[in-house]
Amino acid sequence: MLAFLKTAAILLLCLMLADLVGVIVCLVFDVAPLRGSSSALPYAIWFVLGVFSGFIALNGAGGWIAGTGDADWSERPEARRIATTALACGTIVLAALSLLFWRVFWSRGVIGGYYVPDSMTHTLTFFAAVLGAMTLARALIGPKPGAPAP
């Protein structure tokens, strides 16, 4: 339960910070008269922010769960288990947020432009990028082959 709360806290913090950055960046691109601006630009913005959020959230949650001092937690033998725990908790948090946003925003026909969480498609792109980055980071974590055991 403690691992879930730690992961949820880190992930929600990352999502909130990325949402603030995303709103500002989308607003700048919306207001600034840029040539070649397309409707795919907000998707790209939310995708990139989601990838960064996923990597940062998994690393932060894993380090907090592992309780490391000066050693890098991702090189420890139990790093894959810790990352799997953080990934599972993050998946639950993202699913719960999706259900919440469906109930509050998306089922009521709210027109939100391209801001998260108002826009369903942009939010799901953002969440999929977060989950994909967390999954990729989990796959890459663990002791290096041939490295001496600590």
Side-chain angles (χ1 to χ4, degrees), residues 7-129:
T7 302
I10 295 277
L11 182 59
L12 289 174
L13 179 66
C14 288
L15 293 177
M16 286 187 287
L17 291 174
D19 188 41
L20 289 173
V21 170
V23 167
I24 292 168
V25 171
C26 285
L27 183 67
V28 166
F29 279 116
D30 193 33
V31 172
L34 300 173
R35 298 177 81 187
S37 179
S38 71
S39 60
L41 182 61
Y43 287 102
I45 292 168
W46 290 114
F47 180 81
V48 169
L49 288 171
V51 168
F52 279 105
S53 297
F55 284 142
I56 293 168
L58 187 79
N59 189 42
W64 198 7
I65 291 169
T68 59
D70 55 335
D72 183 18
W73 75 271
S74 64
E75 298 292 324
R76 294 169 53 178
E78 68 273 9
R80 180 78 44 105
R81 181 189 52 80
I82 293 169
T84 302
T85 302
L87 176 62
C89 296
T91 302
I92 293 169
V93 168
L94 291 174
L97 285 174
S98 296
L99 288 173
L100 174 70
F101 295 154
W102 171 262
R103 182 79 175 124
V104 173
F105 297 113
W106 306 335
S107 67
R108 301 182 191 273
V110 175
I111 299 174
Y114 40 76
Y115 297 106
V116 169
D118 295 341
S119 170
M120 183 172 83
T121 57
H122 292 90
T123 304
L124 292 178
T125 300
F126 179 57
F127 284 177

